[in-house]
Amino acid sequence: MRDWQPVLGLPLWFWLFILPSIIVAVCLVFPNPSKRVLTPIWRGLDKVYLASGVVAAISMVTILLIIVGQMISRWSGLTFQGSTDYAGYAMAATSFFAFAHALNRGAHIRVSILLNMNHHTKRWLDAFAMLIASIIGTYFARYAVKANFESKMLNDRTQGVDQVPDWFLTIFKMFGNWPTQWGEIWAATGSEWVYTPVWLPQIPMSIGTVLLAIALWDNLTRLMVFGESQIVVEAVA
């Protein structure tokens, strides 16, 4: 963990692993006070998970629209350049944005044979599995975000023929700069199309993995407070 730079005087691994573990321990020892404090946060996070599921659904519809566009382009003898790459980006966005929402709906595959063997140890086995998943998910999220920044630093471009307008990239660049620099950024923006930088399709991956890590720690705290998993499998009639 040598490259885990300090944040506010403490190493990044403290904020990502130790602090959430402390919160989980507090929920275990003081469930009722923790419930009162965390309930508003849980409600807000549930809305975030639902929003990510909506974005995933929109991305899936985007795949359909791209396929329809490919069919029309073939019929009309036109070229839909980069359509395969765009569909791949939309598919990645569909998967990663759906992670957190699917977790809370019980859509992820969970091998529960050991959990169902003994009711007394079910809570602790579930907590152990959720803790391991939270740690792995946090590692994944951290390095997904790091890969995003490294792609931006190296100015990596996709290997396909897909392109995006330069002004579209400028919109994303605004979020990484102070408002006082926005005028200068737009002044340097051209009207041409450029090959897609790798960091652009990596953004859904970074956001999706971060939301998944948060959802895992979130469900672990709920497990400690309520004594049972709050992941409810939706029954299909």
Side-chain angles (χ1 to χ4, degrees):
M1 293 187 179
R2 295 179 180 178
D3 61 338
W4 296 59
Q5 297 82 0
V7 177
L8 299 177
L10 294 172
L12 182 60
W13 53 263
F14 173 85
W15 300 103
L16 296 183
F17 300 105
I18 304 302
L19 181 60
S21 299
I22 293 175
I23 296 175
V24 170
V26 171
C27 291
L28 175 62
V29 179
F30 306 103
N32 292 329
S34 299
K35 180 180 179 181
R36 290 194 297 269
V37 173
L38 294 177
T39 296
I41 300 177
W42 288 335
R43 291 174 180 171
L45 288 175
D46 287 337
K47 294 179 180 179
V48 173
Y49 304 146
L50 179 60
S52 68
V54 171
V55 174
I58 294 174
S59 300
M60 184 174 293
V61 173
T62 302
I63 299 174
L64 173 62
L65 296 177
I66 293 174
I67 294 174
V68 172
Q70 288 177 323
M71 295 168 60
I72 295 176
S73 66
R74 290 194 185 99
W75 295 337
S76 58
L78 300 176
T79 301
F80 190 172
Q81 187 171 337
S83 58
T84 303
D85 301 287
Y86 298 138
Y89 302 152
M91 183 178 295
T94 300
S95 301
F96 284 96
F97 275 114
F99 278 160
H101 180 71
L103 174 67
N104 292 327
R105 294 297 185 275
H108 287 206
I109 297 176
R110 303 179 72 215
V111 181
S112 58
I113 182 171
L114 295 178
L115 300 180
N116 298 329
M117 289 179 60
N118 190 320
H119 178 74
H120 299 288
T121 59
K122 178 179 180 180
R123 177 187 180 186
W124 304 112
L125 288 173
D126 201 356
F128 176 75
M130 190 70 70
L131 177 62
I132 298 300
S134 300
I135 293 174
I136 295 175
T138 304
Y139 262 102
F140 190 8
R142 193 267 176 173
Y143 282 102
V145 174
K146 183 178 180 180
N148 216 156
F149 280 101
E150 289 185 348
S151 296
K152 177 65 173 63
M153 179 182 64
L154 298 174
N155 195 27
D156 282 345
R157 300 283 169 166
T158 60
Q159 300 299 312
V161 295
D162 55 299
Q163 294 182 330
V164 293
D166 195 20
W167 60 263
F168 185 70
L169 300 179
T170 301
I171 295 176
F172 288 91
K173 293 178 182 178
M174 291 172 60
F175 293 100
N177 294 273
W178 294 102
T180 54
Q181 299 175 317
W182 289 356
E184 181 181 349
I185 294 174
W186 278 104
T189 301
S191 58
E192 70 277 2
W193 286 60
V194 296
Y195 286 103
T196 308
V198 175
W199 59 262
L200 184 60
Q202 282 180 336
I203 290 178
M205 179 186 70
S206 300
I207 297 176
T209 52
V210 169
L211 287 178
L212 177 61
I214 293 174
L216 288 167
W217 287 109
D218 176 18
N219 278 282
L220 183 55
T221 59
R222 301 189 195 204
L223 176 61
M224 293 296 98
V225 169
F226 295 101
E228 60 181 3
S229 176
Q230 299 300 296
I231 298 177
V232 179
V233 179
E234 294 183 345
V236 178

